């Protein structure tokens, strides 16, 4: 099975309004509730691809209960650890006139030391059965900034390949623990390394400890810098749509191809086809299987000179 | 006891953000959850004033469960009728830079005919013990537009004074059923009667069936047109603050003074002092007892010529 970790899960709400006007009153025409947080999104995509997928992390309070009810309808297994606090909400307000989204993210509950210990115990129980583990998203209040580094060391000790998708100081500390893959976006990579040029920044991130760096570059697709080479995988076509969840779909594609023991170019094809299908989907963060399968053979991965 | 009816209850959320920018991502700095819907707000003020107060209407789903948990901490009695649908949320996004509020209201669940029957049964059980009843707010999907008229006739049949605070067609139909008091704002009154001048519109509303009309005119305070006279009650001072809930506090003041058998000028004083204290409170929809008691003797009710 594939294990995804989401320490800061969220109940994702989407509101549609005819037009968002600050300081006015709005009638919401459509409400959507989804289980969220990056690792949960990754797991939903993996489950849709047919992988046996387990979700862990934290959930609590009334929002956590709704999240778990919604998660039970997804093709993933729920191994979330209960907490006393109320799981945060995130709200995406979609303006039907412009198609733009305004995002409002609650801060999330504070996790206690006892809850963190309970999680470490659960994580240790789950790892032996995992073919790969993904550590995704921000850290909630109460969790020490080196938490991902700790989880990476445990996974590596258990011989489980580990992918890290986070930002800021948790990414910096995590990379030093030598994860198999990190998947920053251009902004996160620049923030980490100080280099704005993606290839240079990705090489720098490898020197800091990551075995492979897969950078998501928006409309330019993915750039992978690994021990065995450097690849660029642009989207198969110029796509217009909602980029919400495209990065999480790319992570799912990388993990899916990793456990299927595919070489790097095929991993990138899968990741790019999935993230492009997600952008094209009318529902944010979802993808249509048919679109993914149509796009997959169209992704042209470009090999470049081996990484230094 | 005083009975308040809220057919379209809500879980009221307030988000504070440093500044609201459409199409940007925001970190919410503070989240507040409150039991809401106009009649629930009225009941909370009545409870705070020391009145034995019962809340009825509908609540269901995870949001309804949170609403009822929060309501249990208020000095009111919960007689809400369970429904299968999920109670709506309302979200007020407060911009900490400008102090302005952007409001997003979910549509609310559809009430089934069986749930409406269960409510009518509950309402009939509660009425004999009520000294007054307030019917407040919008109608949820599934409830017929003449619902308030039906509830007014039942209350009048039981000899219980009834106040109606709604708008649009439910107000038009409700007034024809001869409620004791209606409390429209200037906009609702103009929409009902076609007259923009408040006194003329209020007289028109009386002719349509309301025994007394108390119009809330924002910064101009309250205008009451009754069988025994016409009064104007401006706020005791020019007030700056958040007007959220001021109308609900005015309704609470009218009901409180009605069951205390006070004459009209004293009813208006209580209503204006409460709504002014609500505007001045740092927390939207709340009021400080001390502010209310300080303002009460400062309200100068002006008598005018008896209503035609």
């Amino acid at each position: 099975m594939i294990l995804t970790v989401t320490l800061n899960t969220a109940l994702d709400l989407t509101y549609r309004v005819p037009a968002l006007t600050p300081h006015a009153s709005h009638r919401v025409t459509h409400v959507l509730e989804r289980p969220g947080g990056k690792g949960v999104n990754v797991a939903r995509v993996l489950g849709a691809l047919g992988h046996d997928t387990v979700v862990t992390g934290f959930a609590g309070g009334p929002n956590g209960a709704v999240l778990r009810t919604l998660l039970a309808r997804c093709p993933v297994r729920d191994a979330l650890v209960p907490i006393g606090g109320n799981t945060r909400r995130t709200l995406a307000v979609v303006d039907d006139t412009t198609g733009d989204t305004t995002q409002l993210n609650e801060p999330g509950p504070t996790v206690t030391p006892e809850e963190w210990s309970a999680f470490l115990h659960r994580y240790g129980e789950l790892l032996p059965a995992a073919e790969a583990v993904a550590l995704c998203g921000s850290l909630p209040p109460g969790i020490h900034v080196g938490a991902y580094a700790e989880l990476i060391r445990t996974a590596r000790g258990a011989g489980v390949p580990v992918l890290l998708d986070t930002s800021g100081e948790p990414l910096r500390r995590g990379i030093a623990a030598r994860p198999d893959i990190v998947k920053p976006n251009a902004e996160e990579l620049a923030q980490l390394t100080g280099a704005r040029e993606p290839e240079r920044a990705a090489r720098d991130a490898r020197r800091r400890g990551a075995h492979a760096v897969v950078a998501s570059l928006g409309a330019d697709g993915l750039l992978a810098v690994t021990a065995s080479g450097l690849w660029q995988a642009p989207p198969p076509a110029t796509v217009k749509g909602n980029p919400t969840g495209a990065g999480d779909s790319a992570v799912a594609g990388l993990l899916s191809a990793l456990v299927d023991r595919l070489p790097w170019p095929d991993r990138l094809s899968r990741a790019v086809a999935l993230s492009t299908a997600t952008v094209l989907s009318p529902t944010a963060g979802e993808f249509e299987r048919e679109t993914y399968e149509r796009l997959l053979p169209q992704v042209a991965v470009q090999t470049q000179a081996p990484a230094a």
Side-chain angles (χ1 to χ4, degrees), chain A residues 210-246:
Chain A
H211 288 266
V213 177
V214 181
S216 52
L217 307 175
D220 289 337
L222 296 179
L223 167 75
V225 181
T226 80
S228 52
L230 185 150
W231 292 273
Q232 191 116 28
T238 311
V239 287
K240 262 200 147 177
N242 189 338
T244 304

Side-chain angles (χ1 to χ4, degrees), chain A residues 221-293:
Chain A
L222 296 179
L223 167 75
V225 181
T226 80
S228 52
L230 185 150
W231 292 273
Q232 191 116 28
T238 311
V239 287
K240 262 200 147 177
N242 189 338
T244 304
D248 301 330
S249 290
V251 168
L254 293 174
L255 289 171
S256 165
L258 171 74
V259 302
D260 285 351
R261 300 174 187 282
L262 298 183
W264 271 107
D266 294 337
R267 296 188 197 178
L268 296 176
S269 296
R270 205 171 272 194
V272 166
L274 274 173
S275 65
T276 306
T278 302
V279 172
L280 290 172
S281 167
T283 308
E286 305 286 335
F287 75 99
E288 275 153 28
R289 180 95 199 189
E290 206 174 38
T291 310
Y292 161 62
E293 285 174 353

Side-chain angles (χ1 to χ4, degrees), chain A residues 38 135 163-168 171-172 175 179-193 195 198 201-206 208 210 212-218 221-225 246-248 250-251 254:
Chain A
K38 276 172 171 290
L135 310 174
L163 181 151
L164 176 64
D165 183 8
T166 187
S167 60
L171 172 61
R172 187 183 304 272
I175 278 190
D180 295 271
I181 307 173
V182 292
K183 198 231 51 70
N185 61 31
E187 183 56 40
E188 289 158 355
L189 199 54
Q191 200 199 349
L192 173 75
T193 62
R203 288 180 195 277
D204 185 2
R206 279 201 73 226
R208 288 164 185 263
V213 177
V214 181
S216 52
L217 307 175
L222 296 179
L223 167 75
V225 181
D248 301 330
V251 168
L254 293 174

Side-chain angles (χ1 to χ4, degrees), chain A residues 10-277:
Chain A
L11 178 61
D12 285 347
L13 304 184
T14 304
Y15 283 178
R16 300 193 79 91
V17 296
L20 180 64
T21 313
H23 316 144
S25 188
H26 304 76
R27 211 171 278 262
V28 175
T29 53
H30 188 76
V31 180
L32 180 72
E33 288 188 336
R34 271 203 326 206
K38 276 172 171 290
V40 173
N41 299 339
V42 170
R44 288 167 56 238
V45 175
L46 287 168
L49 290 174
H51 291 283
D52 177 20
T53 310
V54 174
V55 169
T56 189
F58 297 110
N63 294 333
V66 173
L67 183 149
R68 297 185 82 160
T69 302
L70 296 170
L71 197 61
R73 299 178 201 159
C74 302
V76 302
R77 289 190 279 148
D78 175 352
L80 292 164
V81 173
I83 52 171
N86 193 11
T87 294
R88 70 195 173 116
R89 279 167 289 230
T90 75
L91 172 64
V93 183
V94 179
D95 181 318
D96 276 338
T97 306
T98 63
D100 285 317
T101 297
T102 305
Q103 188 72 35
L104 295 152
N105 297 330
E106 295 187 12
T110 299
V111 176
T112 67
E114 293 70 31
E115 289 162 350
W116 175 240
S117 294
F119 170 79
L120 289 176
H121 183 76
R122 177 73 54 91
Y123 183 68
E125 283 175 338
L126 292 166
L127 270 180
E131 297 167 85
V133 57
L135 310 174
C136 303
S138 57
L139 297 176
I143 299 285
H144 71 95
V145 74
Y148 281 139
E150 183 178 353
L151 300 183
I152 289 164
R153 283 190 291 267
T154 310
R156 290 183 60 78
V160 181
V162 54
L163 181 151
L164 176 64
D165 183 8
T166 187
S167 60
E169 192 60 23
L171 172 61
R172 187 183 304 272
R173 303 270 188 115
I175 278 190
R178 307 189 60 73
D180 295 271
I181 307 173
V182 292
K183 198 231 51 70
N185 61 31
E187 183 56 40
E188 289 158 355
L189 199 54
Q191 200 199 349
L192 173 75
T193 62
R196 295 233 55 107
E197 199 279 302
E199 188 181 324
R200 195 174 147 203
R203 288 180 195 277
D204 185 2
R206 279 201 73 226
R207 275 193 294 272
R208 288 164 185 263
H211 288 266
V213 177
V214 181
S216 52
L217 307 175
D220 289 337
L222 296 179
L223 167 75
V225 181
T226 80
S228 52
L230 185 150
W231 292 273
Q232 191 116 28
T238 311
V239 287
K240 262 200 147 177
N242 189 338
T244 304
D248 301 330
S249 290
V251 168
L254 293 174
L255 289 171
S256 165
L258 171 74
V259 302
D260 285 351
R261 300 174 187 282
L262 298 183
W264 271 107
D266 294 337
R267 296 188 197 178
L268 296 176
S269 296
R270 205 171 272 194
V272 166
L274 274 173
S275 65
T276 306

